[in-house]
């Protein structure tokens, strides 16, 4: 058995593979380039750059690990990547630039094992997609995928915000510690030896604020009091942030639920408005104003004739009654 050959895709190789006899690559609408046991495509490069109007592309049974090179195919509608080596969803993001892509096949790729629930992500990211991995994409699935991705995005945003707050809290604590140590060292070196020797003769009162300039004050007591005050200030910084995190944990889900309900109500109202406009246009198309005017005029003429006939009959009846009364 011949060894397997991995190759880079080139225009010359494509022309020989499919038997193109002209250089007008922009006129090609469909390409089928499946791999074989002897030869597989491992790199796309710029081999498809000039196939600008390509609508259908079959790259199944190859060894592609990257989809770079497909972003130029702005008219691509059908893409078959069955049985390749695509490792992650990061590679699939290249396809998000294809605004008219309708059918995509990613089955039997490594990303299916690493990300078994990749389908909602792809369905939400590619709005034009109508079929994925051989299964149609329905409206209900698209709504569920949008909801799922919104929840994941909100969770990531929340985690990022909490992490930023924690980093700020940590930096603030480190700053307070450095300032406290620096002030302690400065104060300890600013006192004379005689003042340091008098520390055993004075009592410590933690609840009072001793003055460093008072003749009877103890520098260690003053330093200890400052340290406690700075720790209390540090705790005062930490407590509001921790309370803020607790409030976020408590109300984040409720706010997200209210936002989703408001969005769903807005979508429902928009659908009702579109339906009403469609019904009005259909009615006006079937019954234009000119038809209404013509029909009304005809009805008026008929009523006028009926009234004239009734008047004539009434007049004849009156004449007959007058003649009968004259004979009597």
């Amino acid at each position: 058995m011949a060894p397997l050959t991995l190759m880079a895709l080139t225009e010359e190789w494509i022309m020989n593979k499919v038997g193109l006899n002209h250089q007008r690559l922009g006129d090609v609408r469909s390409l089928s380039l499946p791999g074989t046991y002897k030869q597989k495509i491992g790199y796309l490069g710029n081999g498809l750059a000039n196939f600008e109007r390509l609508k259908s592309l079959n790259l199944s049974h190859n060894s592609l690990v990257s989809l770079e090179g497909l972003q130029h195919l702005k008219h691509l509608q059908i893409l078959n990547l069955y049985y390749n080596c695509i490792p992650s969803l990061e590679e699939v993001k290249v396809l998000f630039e294809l605004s008219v892509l309708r059918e995509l096949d990613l089955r039997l790729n490594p990303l299916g094992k690493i990300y078994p629930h990749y389908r909602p992500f792809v369905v939400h990211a590619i709005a034009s997609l109508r079929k994925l991995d051989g299964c149609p994409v329905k409206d209900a699935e698209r709504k569920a995928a949008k909801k799922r991705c919104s929840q994941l995005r909100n969770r990531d945003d929340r985690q990022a915000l909490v992490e930023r707050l924690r980093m700020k809290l940590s930096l603030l604590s480190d700053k307070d510690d450095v300032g406290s140590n620096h002030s302690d060292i400065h104060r300890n070196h600013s006192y004379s030896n005689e003042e340091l020797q008098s520390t055993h003769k004075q009592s410590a009162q933690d609840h009072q604020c001793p003055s460093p300039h008072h003749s009877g004050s103890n520098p260690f007591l003053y330093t200890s009091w400052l340290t406690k005050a700075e720790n209390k200030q540090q705790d005062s910084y930490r407590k509001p942030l921790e309370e803020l995190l607790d409030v976020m944990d408590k109300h984040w889900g409720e706010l997200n639920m209210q936002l989703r309900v408001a969005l769903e109500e807005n979508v429902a109202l928009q659908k009702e408005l579109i339906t009403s406009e469609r019904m009005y246009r259909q009615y006006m198309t079937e019954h234009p104003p000119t038809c209404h005017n013509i029909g009304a005029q005809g009805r008026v003429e008929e009523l006028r004739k009926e009234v004239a006939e009734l008047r004539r009959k009434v007049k004849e009846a009156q004449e007959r009654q007058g003649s009968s009364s004259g004979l009597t």
Side-chain angles (χ1 to χ4, degrees):
M1 180 179 293
L4 176 64
T5 303
L6 292 179
M7 52 162 294
L9 195 63
T10 62
E11 292 181 358
E12 182 180 0
W13 182 86
I14 295 174
M15 295 178 65
N16 294 330
K17 178 74 173 179
V18 299
L20 287 176
N21 298 322
H22 58 81
Q23 297 293 333
R24 297 189 300 273
L25 303 181
D27 295 335
V28 178
R29 298 293 188 271
S30 178
L31 277 178
S32 181
L33 306 173
T36 63
Y37 290 106
K38 297 180 180 180
Q39 192 177 50
K40 293 182 182 294
I41 302 173
Y43 176 68
L44 293 176
N46 295 322
L48 297 170
N50 292 323
F51 292 85
E52 301 173 353
R53 299 181 182 178
L54 194 66
K55 293 185 176 181
S56 177
L57 178 61
N58 180 9
L59 292 173
S60 61
H61 295 88
N62 281 291
S63 297
L64 294 173
V65 296
S66 173
L67 300 180
E68 288 291 335
L70 296 179
Q71 63 271 20
H72 309 294
L73 307 178
K74 301 300 182 181
H75 298 277
L76 191 64
Q77 299 179 6
I78 302 174
L79 178 59
N80 188 352
L81 295 172
Y82 178 86
Y83 204 175
N84 273 270
C85 300
I86 302 171
S88 67
L89 289 174
E90 292 295 326
E91 302 299 333
V92 181
K93 290 183 178 180
V94 176
L95 305 180
F96 298 171
E97 302 180 27
L98 307 181
S99 58
V100 296
L101 186 64
R102 295 187 294 106
E103 297 184 15
L104 176 63
D105 197 338
L106 293 172
R107 290 176 293 178
L108 293 185
N109 277 276
L111 70 88
K113 294 182 179 180
I114 302 174
Y115 306 98
H117 304 292
Y118 70 88
R119 184 179 176 91
F121 175 79
V122 177
V123 169
H124 175 66
I126 306 178
S128 60
L129 205 60
R130 295 294 176 266
K131 182 183 288 187
L132 177 61
D133 296 342
C135 298
V137 177
K138 299 182 180 180
D139 292 339
E141 182 183 8
R142 193 175 298 279
K143 291 179 180 179
K146 182 179 180 180
K147 182 178 179 181
R148 173 62 176 167
C149 292
S150 177
Q151 291 175 347
L152 294 176
R153 185 168 56 253
N154 290 337
R155 185 191 66 182
D156 294 341
D157 293 343
R158 175 180 172 276
Q159 291 178 350
L161 178 59
V162 171
E163 188 63 27
R164 287 198 299 270
L165 290 174
R166 288 177 177 171
M167 289 180 64
K168 290 181 179 179
L169 178 60
S170 176
L171 291 175
L172 184 59
S173 301
D174 294 342
K175 183 178 180 181
D176 291 340
D177 292 341
V178 172
S180 177
N181 294 333
H182 184 270
S183 62
D184 290 344
I185 294 172
H186 178 74
R187 294 189 188 96
N188 288 336
H189 286 285
S190 64
Y191 293 106
S192 63
N193 293 329
E194 295 178 356
E195 291 175 327
L196 293 175
Q197 292 174 359
S198 64
T199 57
H200 298 288
K201 301 179 181 179
Q202 298 176 350
S203 61
Q205 296 179 354
D206 295 338
H207 60 280
Q208 295 182 355
C209 174
S211 173
H213 304 290
H214 193 271
S215 60
S217 64
N218 188 335
F220 285 122
L221 295 178
Y222 179 71
T223 303
S224 176
W225 180 87
L226 278 178
T227 303
K228 291 182 179 180
E230 290 171 351
N231 289 336
K232 184 180 294 185
Q233 184 181 12
Q234 179 178 340
D235 293 337
S236 66
Y237 291 148
R238 183 181 290 106
K239 187 174 181 180
L241 290 176
E242 291 178 350
E243 291 178 352
L244 177 60
L245 294 177
D246 293 339
V247 170
M248 290 173 57
D249 289 334
K250 181 178 180 181
H251 298 287
W252 193 278
E254 182 179 353
L255 292 176
N256 284 335
M257 181 62 68
Q258 293 178 358
L259 178 61
R260 286 196 297 271
V261 171
L263 291 175
E264 290 176 358
E265 291 178 352
N266 187 18
V267 171
L269 291 175
Q270 289 181 356
K271 288 184 178 180
E272 291 181 1
L273 179 60
I274 294 172
T275 302
S276 300
E277 291 180 351
R278 187 184 297 113
M279 293 175 63
Y280 173 75
R281 291 174 183 174
Q282 183 178 359
Y283 178 80
M284 294 303 293
T285 303
E286 297 176 354
H287 306 282
T290 55
C291 296
H292 291 290
N293 294 337
I294 295 173
Q297 292 177 358
R299 182 59 180 166
V300 168
E301 292 296 330
E302 293 178 358
L303 291 175
R304 285 179 180 176
K305 291 180 180 180
E306 292 179 0
V307 169
E309 183 67 20
L310 289 174
R311 288 178 178 176
R312 186 182 62 78
K313 292 181 179 181
V314 169
K315 187 176 181 181
E316 290 180 355
Q318 289 177 352
E319 291 177 354
R320 291 175 184 174
Q321 185 178 1
S323 60
S324 61
S325 59
L327 292 176
T328 56

XYZ file of all heavy atoms in Angstrom, residues 192-231:
318
model
N 14.770 57.959 69.415
C 16.107 57.799 70.000
C 16.168 56.544 70.858
O 15.144 55.938 71.164
C 16.453 59.028 70.848
O 15.546 59.133 71.932
N 17.375 56.164 71.249
C 17.545 54.977 72.078
C 16.934 55.160 73.454
O 16.452 54.206 74.077
C 19.037 54.650 72.209
C 19.630 54.220 70.880
O 18.909 53.625 70.073
N 20.905 54.495 70.672
N 17.008 56.393 73.985
C 16.432 56.640 75.295
C 14.924 56.401 75.291
O 14.361 55.843 76.233
C 16.737 58.081 75.723
C 18.227 58.340 75.937
C 18.498 59.775 76.304
O 17.519 60.559 76.313
O 19.652 60.118 76.576
N 14.253 56.826 74.241
C 12.807 56.606 74.157
C 12.488 55.124 74.022
O 11.474 54.645 74.527
C 12.228 57.382 72.969
C 12.261 58.884 73.185
C 11.793 59.629 71.960
O 12.040 59.114 70.841
O 11.196 60.715 72.099
N 13.353 54.388 73.322
C 13.100 52.960 73.156
C 13.286 52.220 74.479
O 12.636 51.200 74.732
C 14.058 52.376 72.100
C 13.828 52.876 70.666
C 14.904 52.323 69.747
C 12.441 52.459 70.190
N 14.223 52.710 75.352
C 14.456 52.029 76.620
C 13.329 52.250 77.614
O 13.205 51.506 78.589
C 15.772 52.530 77.224
C 17.000 52.105 76.430
C 18.265 52.727 76.969
O 18.217 53.514 77.945
N 19.397 52.387 76.350
N 12.503 53.276 77.398
C 11.419 53.586 78.339
C 10.145 52.788 78.059
O 9.111 53.056 78.654
C 11.093 55.083 78.282
O 10.607 55.419 76.999
N 10.183 51.852 77.143
C 8.978 51.116 76.762
C 8.472 50.208 77.859
O 7.284 49.925 77.940
C 9.278 50.263 75.513
O 10.369 49.406 75.812
C 9.617 51.136 74.330
N 9.371 49.721 78.754
C 8.957 48.795 79.796
C 8.303 49.492 80.972
O 7.815 48.842 81.878
C 10.172 47.994 80.285
C 10.771 47.163 79.216
N 10.170 46.024 78.724
C 11.931 47.326 78.520
C 10.935 45.505 77.793
N 12.012 46.281 77.643
N 8.381 50.830 81.012
C 7.867 51.569 82.152
C 6.470 52.148 81.921
O 5.915 52.788 82.781
C 8.810 52.720 82.501
C 10.224 52.261 82.849
C 11.104 53.444 83.158
C 12.530 52.999 83.494
N 13.416 54.151 83.780
N 5.937 52.010 80.714
C 4.654 52.642 80.375
C 3.633 51.558 80.055
O 3.977 50.502 79.517
C 4.830 53.589 79.182
C 5.797 54.734 79.482
C 6.020 55.602 78.254
O 5.600 55.235 77.192
N 6.703 56.721 78.436
N 2.419 51.841 80.376
C 1.325 50.882 80.140
C 0.706 51.123 78.763
O 0.705 52.244 78.269
C 0.241 51.043 81.221
O -0.301 52.340 81.166
N 0.172 50.048 78.189
C -0.449 50.117 76.852
C -1.953 50.224 76.993
O -2.554 49.487 77.759
C -0.084 48.862 76.053
N -2.495 51.164 76.307
C -3.957 51.331 76.264
C -4.364 51.287 74.783
O -4.172 52.245 74.047
C -4.380 52.662 76.884
C -4.044 52.744 78.376
C -4.454 54.076 78.973
O -4.884 54.976 78.269
N -4.305 54.188 80.290
N -4.928 50.122 74.381
C -5.238 49.917 72.954
C -6.411 50.739 72.460
O -6.530 51.027 71.279
C -5.536 48.427 72.694
C -4.306 47.591 72.949
O -3.194 48.167 72.906
O -4.456 46.379 73.208
N -7.292 51.103 73.419
C -8.493 51.787 72.972
C -8.290 53.283 72.834
O -9.190 54.006 72.435
C -9.637 51.511 73.962
C -9.324 51.984 75.352
N -8.529 51.244 76.218
C -9.677 53.112 76.017
C -8.427 51.880 77.369
N -9.105 53.033 77.267
N -7.113 53.829 73.233
C -6.839 55.250 73.122
C -5.820 55.493 72.022
O -5.112 54.598 71.594
C -6.302 55.783 74.449
C -7.321 55.709 75.597
C -6.762 56.284 76.872
O -5.584 56.648 76.914
N -7.595 56.360 77.887
N -5.768 56.730 71.606
C -4.845 57.120 70.537
C -3.680 57.903 71.118
O -3.814 59.108 71.378
C -5.562 57.967 69.498
S -4.468 58.638 68.234
N -2.538 57.296 71.428
C -1.394 58.025 71.970
C -0.757 58.916 70.919
O -0.821 58.625 69.738
C -0.440 56.916 72.419
C -0.771 55.777 71.542
C -2.243 55.865 71.273
N -0.114 59.967 71.356
C 0.538 60.904 70.436
C 2.036 60.623 70.398
O 2.665 60.449 71.437
C 0.299 62.342 70.906
O 1.054 63.241 70.111
N 2.650 60.585 69.227
C 4.089 60.306 69.150
C 4.937 61.449 69.655
O 6.128 61.272 69.927
C 4.324 60.052 67.661
C 3.260 60.843 66.980
C 2.075 60.791 67.902
N 4.361 62.670 69.774
C 5.139 63.829 70.195
C 5.010 64.086 71.689
O 5.659 64.973 72.227
C 4.688 65.062 69.411
C 4.771 64.883 67.930
N 5.984 64.801 67.264
C 3.800 64.730 67.002
C 5.770 64.645 65.970
N 4.451 64.608 65.779
N 4.160 63.357 72.375
C 3.978 63.543 73.815
C 5.162 62.925 74.548
O 5.646 61.843 74.193
C 2.669 62.900 74.263
C 2.276 63.324 75.656
N 2.687 62.643 76.768
C 1.526 64.373 76.089
C 2.190 63.226 77.847
N 1.485 64.278 77.462
N 5.603 63.593 75.599
C 6.810 63.120 76.283
C 6.613 61.780 76.938
O 7.552 61.013 77.111
C 7.247 64.152 77.343
O 6.209 64.345 78.299
N 5.395 61.464 77.347
C 5.155 60.195 78.022
C 4.625 59.118 77.112
O 4.151 58.083 77.577
N 4.652 59.320 75.812
C 4.077 58.341 74.885
C 5.088 57.272 74.540
O 6.298 57.504 74.577
C 3.608 59.041 73.612
O 4.707 59.606 72.945
N 4.559 56.111 74.195
C 5.391 54.972 73.822
C 5.323 54.798 72.317
O 4.243 54.614 71.750
C 4.876 53.724 74.530
C 5.815 52.545 74.325
O 6.547 52.481 73.360
N 5.767 51.621 75.276
N 6.468 54.839 71.586
C 6.425 54.708 70.123
C 5.879 53.373 69.670
O 5.224 53.270 68.645
C 7.884 54.880 69.699
C 8.677 54.562 70.931
C 7.843 55.004 72.099
N 6.150 52.298 70.422
C 5.608 51.001 70.023
C 4.095 50.983 70.156
O 3.392 50.388 69.349
C 6.225 49.889 70.878
C 7.633 49.582 70.488
C 8.664 49.678 71.401
C 7.932 49.203 69.189
C 9.949 49.391 71.042
C 9.225 48.911 68.826
C 10.243 49.016 69.743
N 3.602 51.630 71.242
C 2.138 51.710 71.396
C 1.521 52.516 70.273
O 0.461 52.192 69.739
C 1.797 52.327 72.760
C 2.196 51.524 73.997
C 1.827 52.299 75.253
C 1.511 50.172 73.983
N 2.193 53.597 69.911
C 1.675 54.425 68.825
C 1.676 53.649 67.500
O 0.724 53.680 66.726
C 2.527 55.682 68.708
C 2.088 56.600 67.590
C 0.897 57.319 67.689
C 2.867 56.723 66.445
C 0.500 58.149 66.661
C 2.474 57.542 65.424
C 1.286 58.261 65.531
O 0.877 59.069 64.520
N 2.778 52.918 67.247
C 2.858 52.106 66.032
C 1.802 51.016 66.029
O 1.162 50.740 65.016
C 4.258 51.477 65.921
O 5.218 52.517 65.925
C 4.374 50.659 64.645
N 1.596 50.360 67.197
C 0.568 49.322 67.290
C -0.811 49.892 67.039
O -1.642 49.291 66.363
C 0.645 48.669 68.669
O -0.394 47.731 68.820
N -1.044 51.083 67.591
C -2.360 51.696 67.384
C -2.581 52.042 65.916
O -3.653 51.844 65.354
C -2.448 52.957 68.245
C -3.777 53.650 68.089
C -4.920 53.398 68.774
C -4.083 54.686 67.167
N -5.937 54.207 68.338
C -5.440 55.011 67.346
C -3.329 55.372 66.212
C -6.069 55.996 66.601
C -3.961 56.342 65.469
C -5.311 56.654 65.665
N -1.517 52.551 65.252
C -1.635 52.869 63.826
C -1.911 51.616 62.996
O -2.708 51.615 62.067
C -0.344 53.532 63.333
C -0.202 55.036 63.590
C 1.157 55.510 63.083
C -1.315 55.807 62.915
N -1.221 50.530 63.356
C -1.432 49.276 62.627
C -2.873 48.807 62.751
O -3.498 48.386 61.779
C -0.476 48.197 63.139
O 0.852 48.671 63.013
C -0.645 46.913 62.354
N -3.429 48.896 63.955
C -4.824 48.497 64.145
C -5.767 49.399 63.369
O -6.750 48.956 62.779
C -5.169 48.513 65.630
C -4.473 47.433 66.437
C -4.897 47.484 67.882
C -4.204 46.370 68.680
N -4.607 46.418 70.112
N -5.468 50.691 63.372
C -6.324 51.628 62.628
C -6.276 51.341 61.136
O -7.297 51.371 60.444
C -5.878 53.061 62.915
N -5.071 51.058 60.620
C -4.961 50.767 59.184
C -5.654 49.460 58.833
O -6.261 49.318 57.772
C -3.487 50.730 58.798
C -2.839 52.117 58.831
C -1.338 52.038 58.663
O -0.810 50.910 58.693
O -0.713 53.096 58.509
N -5.541 48.451 59.737
C -6.255 47.200 59.503
C -7.760 47.420 59.489
O -8.500 46.817 58.711
C -5.879 46.170 60.561
C -4.460 45.672 60.392
O -3.913 45.729 59.293
N -3.867 45.191 61.474
